[in-house]
C-alpha cells in the first residue's frame, strides 16, 4: 500500500478530516529543568507525535504572560514567554513540524488581554474618555458614589464580573472594567475599530511566520449586547463536563450561562469579526484555518460559525457533553452533521481538553465505594475514542489521553493554580487535574517530564506504568491502540470526511457504516456492559477493537462477531 498523503500534501483541505493533537505546553515536556514545559521540549518530542500519526498540533498559548490563567492571559501577542522559549524556538518548531508532515495551530485570545498588556497599563494611566480606555469595557459605576458595578454580570471564574479602575495611589475610582474571567483578564471592546485592526495584524504576524491556523479562545464571546443589560443568571449551574458530585459539589459550568443566552455570549455581531478574519486567512497560500472554541446552546447555533465566509471549524461540545449515553451521542451526532451540512462544513469531535475532566475519568461509572471505576473508565474511554475516530470530520486529541491518563482528582489544595479555585472558595476551579505533566519514562518523581525531576504540578506516583516508554513496549497499551487507530484511519478512504449511514442496532449499541469506493468500514460501539452479537451480514473482518472482548462465533457454519461490553470495533466490509 502506498503511503497516505500527509497534511502538508493536502494544502487546501487537510483540516476537513485531520486528527489534531492538543499540546498544553507547560505540561508537555520540559527541556530546561525548571518544571515548566517549553517549546524546545515540544520540539524534542515531535518525532513522538509524528509516530503517533497526527496531522497537526494545536498548542495552547505560549505568549508572554504572567500565567494567572495558564497563558490565556496574554501580555504581548507578538512575543514568547521567556520561560517557554524564544521566537527562534517557534520558528524551529514550525520548520521541524512541517518537516515531519505536521501542521501547527496556535491559540489566539481575543476576548481579553492580560492586565499586564501595554494597552491595559496605558489605560490605568489614562483618563475617562481617552483612546486607551476605549479599548476595554470600562464604565461608570452605579449608585451615588458609583460604588456599585455597572451591571450584575458575573465572572465565569466566580464572583463579580467587574473590578474598580484604580488611581495612581491604588484607590478605587467610580469607574469599573469588565472581566468575564479573572480580574487579571480585562475584556476588550470589540466596538472599537482599533481592536479589530490590531487583531488582524496579530493574525498576519503569525501567518507570515508559517503558522497554519488558530484555535480561537472564547470565540462566542467578544461582542456584548448593546446597553450591557443585567442578566438573570441561572441560580442552578449544572457543572463543567465531568465535574459532577463525585468531583466537586456546587460546581458552576464555565460556560453554562450561554445556555440561557447571556448578553455576552453568542451575539450576532461576533460573526462580522470572523468574516474579517476569514478574509485575512484567505490572503495566504495555502489558506490558513480557524477552529473556534464555541460554547453555544445547540448544534444549530454552532453551525452559524462555520458559514463559508467565517470559521472553518469549531469545537463541538454537544458531543463531549453527551457522556456515556448511546441515545445522547446519536442525537448529538445527527444534529451536528445535519446542521454542518447546511453550511458545507465538516464537524469536529473532541472528548478531552485542558478545561474538562479527562474522559477516562469522566466516562467512568461509580464503583460501590463511590469513587470512579477507572478500569471501566479506561474501557469506555478507548471505546468512545475508537467510535469517535470513525465519525466524519476532524478529531482533536488532548495530550495524555493516548496514554489513558486519568484525571488527577487528589491534587493538594496548595498545588492548585486554576484562578477559579480561589475565586470560588475552593468549590470550583479544578482544571489543574487534567493539566498534570505528561509521563515520558518510568523514572520518579517527574517521569522524565523534566531532567531535574521538577514539575509545576506534582505527578502522582500511581501513574507508574502509564509512561510513553512503558506503553511503547506493550502491544496492548492504550498508546499502541491509538497508534493503530490513527494509522488505519489514515490508510482507509472510508474514514475521515464523507457520509455516514446508521445500521439498526440493539438498545445501547451504535453502529455506523462509512462508505468509499475502496471499501467500507463499519464502526460499532457497545455502551452496555453485556456482549452483543452482531448480525453475520456485518462481517467479521476486524480492523481494530478497543478491548480484548471480541469473539468469533461459528453458528452453524456462519461466522458472527461478538463484541464485549463497553467495547468498540471497526470491521472491514
Ligand atoms: C478558554 C480556555 C480556558 C481559559 C478561558 C479564558 O475557555 O480554554 O482555559 O481559562 O478561555 O481565557
Amino acid at each position: 500500500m502506498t503511503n497516505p498523503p500527509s497534511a502538508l500534501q493536502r494544502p487546501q483541505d487537510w483540516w476537513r478530516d485531520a486528527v489534531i493533537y492538543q499540546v498544553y505546553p507547560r505540561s508537555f515536556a520540559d527541556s530546561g529543568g525548571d518544571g515548566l514545559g517549553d517549546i524546545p521540549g515540544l520540539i524534542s518530542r515531535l518525532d513522538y507525535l509524528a509516530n503517533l500519526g497526527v496531522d497537526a498540533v494545536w498548542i495552547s498559548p505560549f505568549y508572554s504572560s504572567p500565567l494567572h490563567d495558564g497563558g490565556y492571559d496574554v501580555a504581548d501577542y507578538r512575543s514568547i514567554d521567556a520561560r517557554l522559549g524564544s521566537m527562534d524556538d517557534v520558528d524551529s518548531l514550525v520548520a521541524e513540524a512541517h518537516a515531519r508532515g505536521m501542521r501547527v495551530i496556535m491559540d489566539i485570545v481575543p476576548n481579553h488581554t492580560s492586565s499586564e498588556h501595554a494597552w491595559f497599563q496605558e489605560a490605568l494611566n489614562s483618563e475617562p474618555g481617552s483612546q486607551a480606555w476605549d479599548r476595554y469595557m470600562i464604565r461608570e459605576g452605579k449608585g451615588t458614589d458609583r460604588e456599585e458595578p455597572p451591571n450584575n454580570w458575573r465572572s465565569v471564574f466566580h464572583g463579580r464580573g467587574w473590578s474598580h479602575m484604580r488611581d495612581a495611589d491604588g484607590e478605587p475610582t467610580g469607574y469599573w472594567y469588565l472581566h468575564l474571567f479573572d480580574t487579571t483578564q480585562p475584556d476588550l471592546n470589540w466596538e472599537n475599530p482599533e481592536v479589530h485592526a490590531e487583531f488582524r495584524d496579530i493574525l498576519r504576524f503569525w501567518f507570515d511566520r508559517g503558522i497554519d491556523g488558530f484555535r480561537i479562545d472564547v470565540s462566542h464571546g467578544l461582542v456584548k449586547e448593546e446597553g450591557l443589560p443585567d442578566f438573570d443568571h441561572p441560580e442552578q449551574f449544572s457543572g463543567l463536563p465531568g465535574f459532577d458530585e463525585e468531583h466537586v459539589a456546587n460546581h458552576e459550568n464555565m460556560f453554562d450561562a450561554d445556555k440561557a443566552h447571556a448578553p455576552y455570549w453568542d451575539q450576532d455581531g461576533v460573526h462580522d469579526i470572523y468574516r474579517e478574519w476569514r478574509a485575512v486567512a484567505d490572503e495566504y497560500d495555502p489558506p490558513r484555518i480557524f477552529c473556534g472554541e464555541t460554547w453555544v446552546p445547540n448544534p444549530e447555533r454552532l453551525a452559524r460559525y462555520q458559514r463559508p465566509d467565517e470559521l472553518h471549524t469549531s469545537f463541538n461540545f454537544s458531543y463531549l457533553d453527551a457522556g456515556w449515553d448511546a441515545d445522547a451521542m446519536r442525537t448529538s451526532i445527527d444534529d451536528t452533521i445535519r446542521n454542518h451540512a447546511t453550511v458545507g462544513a465538516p464537524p469536529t469531535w473532541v472528548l478531552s481538553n485542558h478545561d474538562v475532566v479527562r474522559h477516562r475519568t469522566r466516562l467512568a461509572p461509580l464503583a460501590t465505594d463511590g469513587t470512579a471505576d477507572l478500569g471501566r473508565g479506561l474501557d469506555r474511554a478507548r471505546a468512545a475514542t475508537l467510535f469517535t475516530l470513525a465519525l466524519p470530520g476532524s478529531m482533536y486529541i488532548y495530550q495524555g489521553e493516548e496514554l489513558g491518563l486519568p484525571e488527577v482528582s487528589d491534587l493538594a489544595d496548595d498545588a492548585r493554580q486554576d484562578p477559579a479555585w480561589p475565586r470560588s472558595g475552593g468549590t470550583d476551579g479544578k482544571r489543574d487535574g487534567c493539566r498534570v505533566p505528561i509521563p515520558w519514562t518510568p523514572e520518579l518523581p517527574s517521569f522524565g517530564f523534566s531532567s531535574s525531576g521538577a514539575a509545576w504540578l506534582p505527578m502522582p506516583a500511581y501513574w507508574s506504568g502509564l509512561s510513553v516508554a512503558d506503553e511503547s513496549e506493550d502491544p496492548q497499551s492504550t498508546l499502541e491502540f491509538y497508534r493503530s487507530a490513527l494509522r488505519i484511519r489514515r490508510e482507509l478512504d472510508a474514514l475521515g470526511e464523507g457520509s455516514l449511514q446508521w445500521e439498526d442496532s440493539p438498545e445501547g449499541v451504535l453502529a455506523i457504516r462509512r462508505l468509499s469506493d475502496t471499501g467500507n468500514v463499519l464502526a460499532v460501539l457497545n455502551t452496555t456492559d453485556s456482549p452483543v452479537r452482531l448480525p453475520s451480514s456485518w462481517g467479521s473482518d476486524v480492523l481494530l477493537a478497543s478491548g480484548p472482548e471480541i469473539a468469533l462465533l461459528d453458528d452453524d457454519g456462519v461466522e458472527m462477531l461478538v463484541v464485549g461490553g463497553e467495547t468498540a470495533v471497526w470491521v472491514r466490509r
Side-chain angles (χ1 to χ4, degrees):
M1 185 178 294
T2 53
N3 277 339
S6 83
L8 289 195
Q9 289 161 318
R10 295 172 47 205
Q12 305 296 327
D13 66 351
W14 67 272
W15 50 273
R16 297 184 74 90
D17 60 4
V19 175
I20 299 168
Y21 185 95
Q22 180 188 357
V23 170
Y24 193 71
R26 293 189 298 157
S27 303
F28 193 61
D30 170 24
S31 73
D34 61 355
L36 210 55
D38 47 39
I39 300 168
L42 167 55
I43 295 172
S44 75
R45 299 293 182 181
L46 285 175
D47 282 337
Y48 167 74
L49 297 178
N51 181 256
L52 180 60
V54 301
D55 300 300
V57 274
W58 148 40
I59 309 157
S60 284
F62 47 70
Y63 309 99
S64 295
S65 163
L67 295 185
H68 292 307
D69 184 22
Y72 285 94
D73 47 329
V74 181
D76 181 351
Y77 293 84
R78 295 180 186 80
S79 80
I80 312 299
D81 185 326
R83 288 163 290 186
L84 270 63
S86 64
M87 200 57 93
D88 283 348
D89 292 332
V90 175
D91 290 342
S92 306
L93 170 70
V94 173
E96 295 286 333
H98 285 175
R100 290 165 177 78
M102 292 182 292
R103 302 262 177 196
V104 179
I105 296 178
M106 279 176 59
D107 207 317
I108 194 160
V109 188
N111 182 68
H112 43 266
T113 68
S114 160
S115 51
E116 292 187 18
H117 189 282
W119 273 6
F120 197 70
Q121 290 299 312
E122 192 186 335
L124 290 177
N125 293 310
S126 303
E127 298 298 321
S130 59
Q131 188 183 346
W133 275 37
D134 193 44
R135 297 174 185 136
Y136 290 94
M137 302 294 293
I138 303 175
R139 296 287 188 279
E140 259 187 292
K142 283 191 192 157
T144 34
D145 290 329
R146 300 176 295 179
E147 73 285 4
E148 293 292 324
N151 69 21
N152 73 347
W153 294 1
R154 300 210 306 234
S155 158
V156 172
F157 290 163
H158 297 262
R160 256 192 325 221
W162 297 86
S163 288
H164 283 285
M165 293 294 282
R166 292 178 182 270
D167 62 21
D169 301 324
E171 291 301 318
T173 69
Y175 290 89
W176 299 70
Y177 67 93
L178 176 69
H179 52 85
L180 289 179
F181 295 89
D182 190 46
T183 51
T184 61
Q185 293 167 299
D187 278 57
L188 285 161
N189 172 21
W190 278 91
E191 298 294 321
N192 181 339
E194 194 187 351
V195 173
H196 286 244
E198 172 68 358
F199 273 85
R200 285 195 305 267
D201 197 65
I202 294 166
L203 293 176
R204 289 197 181 95
F205 177 87
W206 290 106
F207 289 157
D208 287 346
R209 297 196 95 90
I211 294 294
D212 299 291
F214 278 102
R215 174 259 191 192
I216 305 169
D217 190 61
V218 198
S219 55
H220 58 303
L222 282 63
V223 172
K224 279 76 189 179
E225 190 177 323
E226 211 179 322
L228 312 185
D230 274 353
F231 175 48
D232 191 11
H233 291 275
E235 273 319 306
Q236 198 59 47
F237 288 84
S238 68
L240 190 62
F243 284 102
D244 49 33
E245 324 73 57
E246 164 219 351
H247 301 100
V248 57
N250 303 323
H251 180 96
E252 288 189 25
N253 184 339
M254 274 179 72
F255 293 117
D256 207 36
D258 57 27
K259 295 193 174 109
H261 287 293
Y264 37 82
W265 300 143
D266 195 27
Q267 301 294 305
D268 284 347
V270 80
H271 295 280
D272 296 335
I273 299 170
Y274 299 132
R275 288 192 190 98
E276 273 177 32
W277 287 23
R278 180 63 178 257
V280 173
D282 286 347
E283 287 165 13
Y284 289 81
D285 183 21
R288 308 309 200 231
I289 63 109
F290 296 113
C291 178
E293 185 211 16
T294 313
W295 294 87
V296 289
N298 56 54
E300 191 267 325
R301 295 296 296 184
L302 183 69
R304 291 158 48 91
Y305 288 75
Q306 275 67 250
R307 288 178 287 202
D309 56 350
E310 297 191 41
L311 305 182
H312 302 73
T313 54
S314 279
F315 289 110
N316 170 19
F317 294 118
S318 75
Y319 185 71
L320 186 150
D321 268 333
W324 188 250
D325 177 330
D327 290 341
M329 289 170 86
R330 182 170 176 160
T331 302
S332 167
I333 293 166
D334 280 341
D335 287 353
T336 301
I337 291 175
R338 188 178 55 251
N339 281 294
H340 275 67
T342 64
V343 290
T348 68
W349 312 97
V350 63
L351 292 165
S352 281
N353 67 32
H354 66 293
D355 289 329
V356 301
V357 172
R358 285 186 173 278
H359 69 280
R360 174 174 178 184
T361 305
R362 200 180 67 239
L363 299 179
L366 292 187
T368 40
D369 64 359
T371 60
D373 179 340
L374 292 177
R376 281 177 66 193
L378 183 58
D379 295 345
R380 290 180 175 189
R382 288 171 57 137
T385 299
L386 191 64
F387 184 73
T388 306
L389 277 167
L391 295 172
S394 67
M395 167 97 173
Y396 282 78
I397 292 176
Y398 176 51
Q399 66 178 36
E401 68 168 77
E402 78 279 18
L403 303 172
L405 294 186
E407 183 80 0
V408 180
S409 308
D410 57 356
L411 278 175
D413 291 357
D414 61 3
R416 294 191 180 277
Q417 302 203 12
D418 185 335
W421 171 258
R423 285 183 65 87
S424 67
T427 59
D428 186 18
K430 299 210 162 186
R431 293 177 298 162
D432 295 312
C434 63
R435 299 173 180 179
V436 171
I438 294 301
W440 293 96
T441 67
E443 272 82 53
L444 288 166
S446 75
F447 294 102
F449 163 67
S450 88
S451 51
S452 68
W456 71 280
L457 285 172
M459 301 178 66
Y462 55 77
W463 273 9
S464 88
L466 289 176
S467 77
V468 170
D470 284 306
E471 295 203 19
S472 294
E473 282 172 13
D474 173 6
Q476 305 306 323
S477 70
T478 303
L479 178 56
E480 289 305 321
F481 163 69
Y482 267 69
R483 283 179 177 147
S484 302
L486 298 190
R487 179 178 43 77
I488 296 170
R489 187 182 187 275
R490 212 179 245 193
E491 282 169 3
L492 295 186
D493 295 336
L495 300 175
E497 240 204 317
S499 60
L500 158 166
Q501 279 175 18
W502 289 102
E503 299 284 341
D504 287 338
S505 55
E507 200 171 332
V509 177
L510 296 178
I512 55 170
R513 191 188 296 264
R514 304 294 319 276
L515 309 174
S516 87
D517 295 343
T518 52
N520 303 336
V521 174
L522 197 79
V524 180
L525 171 68
N526 177 9
T527 66
T528 75
D529 52 13
S530 316
V532 287
R533 188 189 283 217
L534 306 187
S536 60
S537 60
W538 288 9
S540 55
D541 183 3
V542 173
L543 287 160
L544 188 63
S546 65
E549 303 298 315
I550 295 289
L552 268 185
L553 193 75
D554 201 339
D555 211 357
D556 288 338
V558 183
E559 279 197 333
M560 281 183 208
L561 199 60
V562 179
V563 179
E566 303 184 335
T567 301
V569 63
W570 287 352
V571 182
R572 195 196 306 269
R573 293 287 291 122

